[in-house]
Amino acid sequence: MGELPVIRIRELVFRWPGATAACLDIPAFEAPRGEHLFLYGPSGSGKSTLLGLLGGVLLPEHGALALLGTELSGLAAPARDRFRADHVGYIFQQFNLIPYLGVVDNVLLAVRFSSRRRERVMARGATPFDEACRLLDRLGMTGDLLHREAVRLSVGQQQRVAAARALIGGPEIIIADEPTSAMDAGLQSVFVDLLLTEAAAAGATVIFVSHDHRLAAGFPRQLALADINRAIAVGEAA
Amino acid sequence: MSYALTLAARSAWNRRLTLGMTLIAFVLSVALLVGIERVRTDARDTFSRSVSGTDLVVGARASAVQLMLYAVFRIGDATNNMRWDSFRMLENHPQVAWAVPLSLGDSHRGFPVLGTNAGYFEHFRYGESRALVLAAGRRNKALFEAVIGAEVAERLGYGEGARIVLNHGAGEVSLAAHDDKPFAVVGILERTGTPVDRTVHVSLEAIEAIHLDWQGGARIPGFSIPAEFVSKFNLAPKQVTAALVGLKNRSAVFAVQRQVNGYPDEPLLAALPGVALDDLWQIVGVAEKTLLAISAMVVAVGLTGLVAVILAGLGERRRELAILRAVGARPRDIFALLTLEGLFVTVLGAVLGLLMLAVATVALGPLVELRYGVAIQPRVVSLEELQWLGMVVGVGLAASLVPGYRAYRLSLADGLMPRT
Ligand SMILES: Nc1ncnc2c1ncn2[C@@H]1O[C@H](COP(=O)(O)OP(=O)(O)OP(=O)(O)O)[C@@H](O)[C@H]1O
Ligand SMILES: [Mg+2]
């Protein structure tokens, strides 16, 4: 093995404040570098909660959660925010864009909050602006679309901008929380293909959450949250 | 972080319509506050530089403040005049170095007319003991000649040789005109920044002459004395409104004041200009403080509206805050973003308020000077005004901490998943 896993979880327990039962209880989970993981599970089973833990926005009650060998609960809150900015790119279900920023500025947001990601762009000999345009271009966002207000884009276009933002500056981990659920089926697979191609080019580990199994095909590893989570979900579809 | 400033500015611009409305309210409140402060200081300046080197102002018995207001500042009317022999008594008093008679009551297109004698140009001082200087022409010699202040000349466009008609009474529009006896402008005074600038100066005899065929504020019906015959009448003044008095020795001022106040032939009042001004500030001070308090409250109302608008917008911005958190913004960046937005609007409001005031000063200043004799100095901002603005921005910052703190709490609770 030798190489450190990008994500490593041991005996992790998480409970929402005020909840009696734990939401997550994961004895062990690992994701190696460059892996594309499809994570599924019913609504309310705790998928988004796990992603919040991975970003260091939530902290486990017990157990270990290390990203790239760094134990997140060992960092102070500002350092966790910084760590997230430097190493994790997020794509949400919808409304990913800041309405008052343009398309390119929305992508550049990621390098504005992370000097490490900006330096990685520069190290490739590109300005952040050029790199943002290159990524947008790769994701099929070209021409006057770049100068459009973020709120004037279709949902599919918005998600591509969000993907470009998650990818810029080469973060090691890309977390996508049902990024295609607002798209029609044809667009969904195009988007997943584009995202995975670019993530592979950057060598990023992808955690892709969805409850739509038709999308799982493109992923080498598919995982039901229930398979790693011992906590009994109290959600609607449990 | 510096990007929070850019974000705050762009976010504010994005919501420019709602913020703009509260900004207008805030700009008006700032202009009001600074405007009141400006009028206040300029009024004090104008008043305190209006008279200098005069030891006593004497008139018929009234309040000292009232006497100062009409005799020196040409505001309001004298209720009573003093008799000419009372003035002669003053003039001949052993302690008195000089006495200048003042006869008021007529006007020219809203500007007060002052009947006086040559002593006025000799002895009157303003500011730091400055004497009146003619900018053009000469002093009045003949009966129907007038010397006008700089403001009168500028506003009405008068030069030497202009012919003017005096009106009875002080109103700007007066039906009763002394139109049968026009005056020629023979001299124009240099600007002083005092009520002198607004004054038309004529001789005491001229005042008598234009009132020969008048009685009780109206022309005697069917009776008119043409201008060329008035010199045949006795034009010696019978009464004056007030007198400015200079003493040989200033230490005698209280003794002379007592003597004048106790003059047996006529109830007179002698006022010390400095003391009367202090009295005036005492009276005006209450009104000033009240006005300032009200305008401070108006500013508070403006700021409250601003905070309310930012807070109300927060609900629909939770998604935006979550995105910022996801790309690595710390809760304190979120705090800064919202606080800066409020501060941004506050600073903009203060600057625009000043700008608005500058425009208003240029536009309305001449009117205020004409009506109230207060010369509003056009200026960008004074040190005192900056202090007021500093306070406004300080309070604005404090108020902006409210939405900042609320957003901070929200983003901590929401994390990456806002519940809306
Ligand atoms: N901020 C919160 N405070 C308290 N409980 C929460 C909070 N967020 C989620 N939960 C609870 O945690 C459980 C898991 O929620 P989570 O959003 O992680 O589910 P999910 O698998 O992402 O569902 P979905 O597929 O609908 O997005 C649910 O029971 C939910 O009610
Ligand atoms: Mg979810």
Side-chain angles (χ1 to χ4, degrees):
Chain A
M1 294 238 99
E3 205 183 339
L4 211 59
V6 168
I7 300 170
R8 183 174 185 276
I9 290 175
R10 287 290 180 275
E11 299 300 338
L12 177 144
V13 176
F14 177 83
R15 188 197 315 266
W16 280 104
T20 45
C23 173
L24 294 173
D25 179 356
I26 303 175
F29 169 76
E30 277 177 19
R33 184 175 145 73
E35 182 172 65
H36 295 174
L37 172 69
F38 185 84
L39 183 69
Y40 60 94
S43 185
S45 59
K47 303 183 296 293
S48 297
T49 306
L50 176 60
L51 301 186
L53 283 158
L54 289 176
V57 180
L58 303 174
L59 280 184
E61 203 172 285
H62 302 295
L65 193 171
L67 296 191
L68 306 159
T70 302
E71 180 57 44
L72 288 188
S73 50
L75 299 177
R80 284 201 306 275
D81 290 329
R82 173 100 188 269
F83 190 89
R84 175 173 68 251
D86 286 344
H87 303 287
V88 185
Y90 270 98
I91 310 169
F92 296 108
Q93 188 169 349
Q94 55 179 336
F95 308 124
N96 272 292
L97 305 185
I98 303 284
Y100 49 83
L101 293 182
V103 167
V104 177
D105 273 330
N106 260 288
V107 176
L108 289 175
L109 215 46
V111 293
R112 293 247 150 79
F113 281 93
S114 164
S115 48
R116 182 177 183 272
R117 283 167 74 173
R118 180 169 49 241
E119 278 151 21
R120 289 181 68 160
V121 169
M122 310 282 252
R124 298 180 47 171
T127 66
F129 182 86
D130 292 340
E131 176 66 1
C133 293
R134 186 190 70 83
L135 280 167
L136 285 165
D137 182 71
R138 293 295 296 263
L139 292 162
M141 295 285 293
T142 47
D144 73 307
L145 280 180
L146 297 190
H147 308 290
R148 198 109 35 104
E149 274 176 72
V151 285
R152 298 260 205 82
L153 298 175
S154 73
V155 175
Q157 290 165 338
Q158 288 186 24
Q159 294 303 76
R160 291 171 199 222
V161 177
R165 183 172 65 211
L167 287 161
I168 195 168
E172 290 83 349
I173 303 161
I174 308 272
I175 290 177
D177 192 354
E178 308 194 46
T180 58
S181 61
M183 302 178 193
D184 60 51
L187 215 54
Q188 282 182 340
S189 55
V190 173
F191 179 82
V192 172
D193 284 349
L194 284 172
L195 177 66
L196 293 186
T197 310
E198 285 310 306
T205 303
V206 177
I207 312 288
F208 190 103
V209 164
S210 178
H211 42 224
D212 186 352
H213 250 287
R214 287 171 304 173
L215 296 172
F219 290 83
R221 182 178 170 201
Q222 296 143 23
L223 185 69
L225 181 59
D227 292 345
I228 56 165
N229 185 16
R230 280 191 305 217
I232 292 135
V234 288
E236 308 123 56
Chain B
M1 80 163 291
S2 67
Y3 193 62
L5 193 67
T6 316
L7 277 180
R10 297 186 68 163
S11 156
W13 178 245
N14 185 239
R15 287 170 309 113
R16 55 191 173 275
L17 194 67
T18 34
L19 282 181
M21 294 318 275
T22 51
L23 180 66
I24 289 172
F26 185 58
V27 166
L28 288 174
S29 72
V30 169
L32 182 70
L33 178 74
V34 180
I36 285 175
E37 171 68 13
R38 189 168 286 190
V39 170
R40 193 179 79 93
T41 48
D42 283 1
R44 290 199 170 206
D45 269 10
T46 310
F47 276 43
S48 36
R49 58 179 279 114
S50 286
V51 62
S52 146
T54 294
D55 295 312
L56 287 170
V57 180
V58 179
R61 193 161 294 165
S63 81
V65 169
Q66 205 186 352
L67 177 62
M68 283 292 287
L69 281 179
Y70 66 72
V72 178
F73 307 126
R74 321 262 191 272
I75 295 172
D77 293 307
T79 40
N80 276 308
N81 284 341
M82 61 191 272
R83 292 204 308 266
W84 182 248
D85 36 300
S86 298
F87 176 75
R88 298 286 301 169
M89 173 278 292
L90 280 174
E91 221 176 11
N92 297 325
H93 190 285
Q95 287 289 348
V96 169
W98 52 266
V100 172
L102 306 174
S103 187
L104 292 153
D106 283 348
S107 65
H108 171 69
R109 295 180 61 181
F111 292 101
V113 172
L114 172 66
T116 185
N117 61 21
Y120 182 80
F121 298 104
E122 304 280 323
H123 300 298
F124 182 82
R125 296 286 182 277
Y126 68 95
E128 271 111 61
S129 292
R130 297 175 59 179
L132 297 177
V133 177
L134 280 163
R138 54 169 175 83
R139 291 186 193 168
N140 49 327
K141 284 199 206 92
L143 194 56
F144 292 112
E145 287 180 347
V147 171
I148 59 178
E151 184 70 16
V152 182
E154 193 185 307
R155 285 287 144 224
L156 303 179
Y158 291 161
E160 280 172 81
R163 317 246 330 142
I164 62 176
V165 167
L166 306 191
N167 284 343
H168 197 74
E172 197 166 346
V173 187
S174 170
L175 294 174
H178 302 288
D179 47 6
D180 55 336
K181 300 183 182 70
F183 282 69
V185 173
V186 295
I188 296 161
L189 291 168
E190 262 178 17
R191 191 169 279 277
T192 64
T194 74
V196 171
D197 296 348
R198 294 181 296 123
T199 304
V200 175
H201 306 82
V202 300
S203 66
L204 283 176
E205 290 72 23
I207 297 283
E208 289 298 322
I210 57 177
H211 291 106
L212 274 179
D213 42 9
W214 284 57
Q215 201 163 51
R219 219 174 266 211
I220 302 166
F223 181 64
S224 167
I225 300 165
E228 47 284 21
F229 297 132
V230 292
S231 50
K232 305 217 186 315
F233 290 79
N234 174 17
L235 294 178
K238 290 159 202 74
Q239 51 185 11
V240 294
T241 313
L244 304 179
V245 174
L247 299 180
K248 287 176 181 149
N249 185 346
R250 295 204 63 182
S251 59
V253 68
F254 292 109
V256 176
Q257 184 187 30
R258 252 192 324 273
Q259 284 169 26
V260 172
N261 287 345
Y263 184 56
D265 293 2
E266 188 179 22
L268 293 180
L269 175 82
L272 278 74
V275 175
L277 264 184
D278 283 346
D279 286 353
L280 179 63
W281 298 143
Q282 292 257 309
I283 300 164
V284 174
V286 178
E288 281 176 353
K289 286 204 187 81
T290 312
L291 271 179
L292 278 176
I294 290 172
S295 55
M297 262 184 277
V298 173
V299 170
V301 169
L303 275 177
T304 311
L306 175 66
V307 170
V309 161
I310 296 179
L311 274 180
L314 211 50
E316 57 201 47
R317 295 178 67 190
R318 288 171 81 166
R319 183 76 239 171
E320 175 190 327
L321 302 184
I323 297 166
L324 291 173
R325 289 281 282 138
V327 295
R330 294 160 298 177
R332 75 170 85 143
D333 295 323
I334 303 292
F335 179 84
L337 175 68
L338 271 289
T339 304
L340 281 173
E341 189 167 316
L343 187 64
F344 189 71
V345 178
T346 312
V347 171
L348 191 68
V351 171
L352 289 180
L354 270 189
L355 216 67
M356 191 181 140
L357 194 62
V359 173
T361 307
V362 172
L364 300 178
L367 196 71
V368 172
E369 177 156 10
L370 180 66
R371 287 280 166 78
Y372 307 106
V374 173
I376 307 290
Q377 304 300 324
R379 61 184 157 227
V380 180
V381 67
S382 74
L383 203 64
E384 287 87 11
E385 290 166 7
L386 264 186
Q387 280 167 3
W388 279 104
L389 287 177
M391 260 157 69
V392 167
V393 171
V395 174
L397 174 62
S400 305
L401 294 178
V402 175
Y405 182 69
R406 173 108 182 102
Y408 175 85
R409 300 292 316 195
L410 274 179
S411 72
L412 272 185
D414 284 352
L416 306 180
M417 294 172 280
R419 330 244 115 201
T420 35

